[in-house]
Amino acid sequence: MEADALAAALDVNAVLVRGPLFGVAAQDAGEAPRWRVVVAVEAGCPQQARDSLNSLLWFRAKDEAQSTAERRALLAAVARLESECVDELTVLQTRYRVVRAEEYAGLGQDGIEQPRPTDPEPAVPNWDRGKQEARIDDGLVLDPEAPVTPLQAAEQLALRDLDYAGARFPEDVRRNSQEALTTHPDVMLLPPVFRIVEKDGPGWKIGSGAHATAHDTRKTLDFSLTWLEPRQRGLIPWGADDRAVDARAVAAEGTDPAAGELAEYAQAADRLRTERANRIEVGGTVYQICRARRLLRWGPDGPEGPRPSDTKQPPTRAASPLPR
């Protein structure tokens, strides 16, 4: 893993910063300075993380509360989250904080970084679309005192001064970014996530949500190429909503006028299965599995929360009311 990290570091000539991601971390009494991630750091705006925390506490009140007092404490927190943009609250001696991380990817001679040979892969890949191999940040503990490898330490040091610069960013975004270098001067690297990126012109665009493994990302791309893309391109009618009606099935029958074009999509998807391919081209579009990294800033009181300039949305109700 260190050899792969060194090879990636030597190949990188630029860092592409996509923007912030948000999740929720919790700190139990007596556990400082450690925090544990309870909502994966993958949401695109702070309110999505708050709404997920709302849902988490609501289900705790519904399914796990051991007493009326415990249920009332949990539902009081839910009520706040439904009416306020709360970034931190304490419930039953546990601190919950919406946390913010930067998502970025390395850009080298071969383009955006792909999965590394030592990234976890299942010994026997499961292509069942209903089965997820791993969940992002499942069981992740944020511990600023945990040991890191030499390459992780080098990457943390290199990215300590990462901030938003340039006229394309609003002034308040640049100001908050500069302030974070002082308020949260340290950085912590979170486990990588994987996405589909697509290119049918001069630039890349995001083609999927984040996944915990490269295999789950390939599984999503397999579904996109064989089921979704053919419908979006009019090769298979939207009315054929059975999941079994996909590029593989129609191409195998050979009677449909689009069978030849669909066969190209099926063959491209088959490469994901037989070769564990990370980059394929079909229908004039290049699809790639991107290895994205995440950097969380850390200050004297723990992980950084949302910044004033981050996207703002109103809170929502996560579920129906419960008896108090």
Side-chain angles (χ1 to χ4, degrees):
M1 292 177 71
E2 279 291 275
D4 279 352
L6 177 59
L10 294 175
D11 181 62
V12 168
N13 53 42
V15 171
L16 303 176
V17 179
R18 179 173 180 262
L21 296 174
F22 301 88
V24 179
Q27 186 182 68
D28 298 317
E31 286 297 308
R34 293 180 296 276
W35 295 71
R36 54 189 171 86
V37 175
V38 295
V39 172
V41 186
E42 60 175 334
C45 71
Q47 191 55 49
Q48 290 177 315
R50 296 186 196 107
D51 290 342
S52 294
L53 176 58
N54 184 347
S55 180
L56 177 73
L57 297 178
W58 188 91
F59 278 102
R60 276 193 59 191
K62 174 179 176 291
D63 300 327
E64 302 174 22
Q66 299 298 309
S67 66
T68 300
E70 186 174 334
R71 180 180 293 107
R72 285 176 176 171
L74 291 164
L75 292 179
V78 168
R80 283 195 65 194
L81 288 163
E82 288 179 342
S83 58
E84 305 174 35
C85 292
V86 182
D87 291 329
E88 182 168 332
L89 74 167
T90 299
V91 187
L92 300 172
Q93 298 186 312
T94 297
R95 296 172 70 190
Y96 295 91
R97 177 181 295 175
V98 177
V99 298
R100 180 189 199 279
E102 295 288 355
E103 181 181 1
Y104 64 100
L107 183 66
Q109 295 182 355
D110 195 35
I112 300 174
E113 185 179 8
Q114 300 178 22
R116 299 175 184 175
T118 45
D119 286 327
E121 295 273 9
V124 180
N126 187 312
W127 293 94
D128 180 355
R129 291 167 181 168
K131 180 177 174 58
Q132 188 178 40
E133 299 296 330
R135 302 180 68 175
I136 295 173
D137 297 335
D138 188 23
L140 179 63
V141 174
L142 308 177
D143 185 356
E145 298 177 351
V148 296
T149 69
L151 265 297
Q152 288 172 336
E155 187 170 354
Q156 288 176 339
L157 183 62
L159 295 172
R160 279 175 65 97
D161 295 330
L162 178 69
D163 67 337
Y164 294 127
R168 70 188 185 95
F169 294 106
E171 192 277 332
D172 60 337
V173 171
R174 299 197 303 271
R175 182 179 66 252
N176 289 167
S177 183
Q178 279 287 323
E179 292 168 349
L181 301 183
T182 301
T183 61
H184 296 80
D186 298 319
V187 297
M188 178 182 294
L189 302 180
L190 303 184
V193 293
F194 301 87
R195 295 183 185 273
I196 301 167
V197 293
E198 305 173 3
K199 183 170 68 171
D200 55 9
W204 293 92
K205 59 184 179 181
I206 296 294
S208 78
H211 297 78
T213 67
H215 174 66
D216 276 342
T217 317
R218 293 189 200 101
K219 190 186 299 186
T220 296
L221 181 54
D222 179 273
F223 174 74
S224 177
L225 292 176
T226 59
W227 197 94
L228 184 61
E229 280 290 321
R231 284 164 170 76
Q232 290 181 332
R233 293 175 180 261
L235 302 176
I236 295 177
W238 281 106
D241 57 357
D242 185 345
R243 285 204 169 192
V245 181
D246 62 8
R248 289 188 177 95
V250 177
E253 289 178 1
T255 58
D256 192 284
E261 193 170 351
L262 288 169
E264 294 181 23
Y265 281 90
Q267 290 164 9
D270 287 344
R271 287 189 56 208
L272 298 172
R273 301 193 177 204
T274 59
E275 304 173 23
R276 287 185 174 175
N278 291 319
R279 180 184 290 182
I280 56 177
E281 182 174 357
V282 61
T285 299
V286 178
Y287 301 88
Q288 179 177 308
I289 309 300
C290 163
R291 186 185 199 273
R293 310 184 213 176
R294 296 174 296 162
L295 176 151
L296 186 148
R297 302 202 70 89
W298 200 275
D301 191 38
E304 182 185 16
R307 298 173 184 174
S309 55
D310 287 328
T311 302
K312 296 177 176 60
Q313 292 179 342
T316 60
R317 294 184 66 91
S320 58
L322 290 178
R324 294 175 181 270

